[in-house]
């Protein structure tokens, strides 16, 4: 499978998960499962209960080359309304 097809399928999977602000737990669980499937060790904090959300922050550390500049990627797990019943298409 090409990386483009794989990326598109993963995106479609994520956007179909209901994840309006305050209801991010299911998409966070999907992200953690995918990271684990890649052999990584995702971690989770307890920020959700502090801000009225069902989900928490997910983070994962990947070692890089010694002396290389650190790189951080981040993204929101929630969506704006309507974030339920999404049917993506190309």
């Amino acid at each position: 499978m090409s990386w483009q097809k794989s990326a598109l399928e993963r995106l479609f999977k994520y956007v179909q998960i209901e994840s309006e602000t305050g209801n991010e737990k299911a998409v966070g669980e999907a992200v953690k499962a995918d990271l684990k499937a890649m052999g990584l060790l995702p971690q989770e904090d307890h920020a959700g209960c502090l801000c009225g959300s069902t989900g928490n922050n997910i983070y994962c550390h990947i070692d890089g080359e010694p002396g290389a500049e650190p790189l951080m990627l981040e993204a929101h797990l929630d969506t704006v309304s309507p974030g339920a019943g999404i049917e993506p298409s190309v």
Side-chain angles (χ1 to χ4, degrees), residues 10 13-14 21 26 28-30 35 50 53 56 61-62 64 80 86:
R10 188 175 311 234
K13 177 179 86 171
Y14 290 156
T21 300
E29 293 299 319
L35 290 169
L50 301 174
S53 174
N56 297 309
H61 177 86
I62 303 170
V80 297
I86 302 297

Side-chain angles (χ1 to χ4, degrees), residues 32 35-36 38-44 58-62:
K32 285 192 317 186
L35 290 169
K36 287 178 183 177
M38 290 186 260
L40 301 173
L41 300 171
Q43 297 181 23
E44 182 174 0
I58 310 298
Y59 56 98
C60 188
H61 177 86
I62 303 170

Side-chain angles (χ1 to χ4, degrees), residues 1 20 30 62 81:
M1 176 184 318
E20 290 184 357
I62 303 170
S81 181

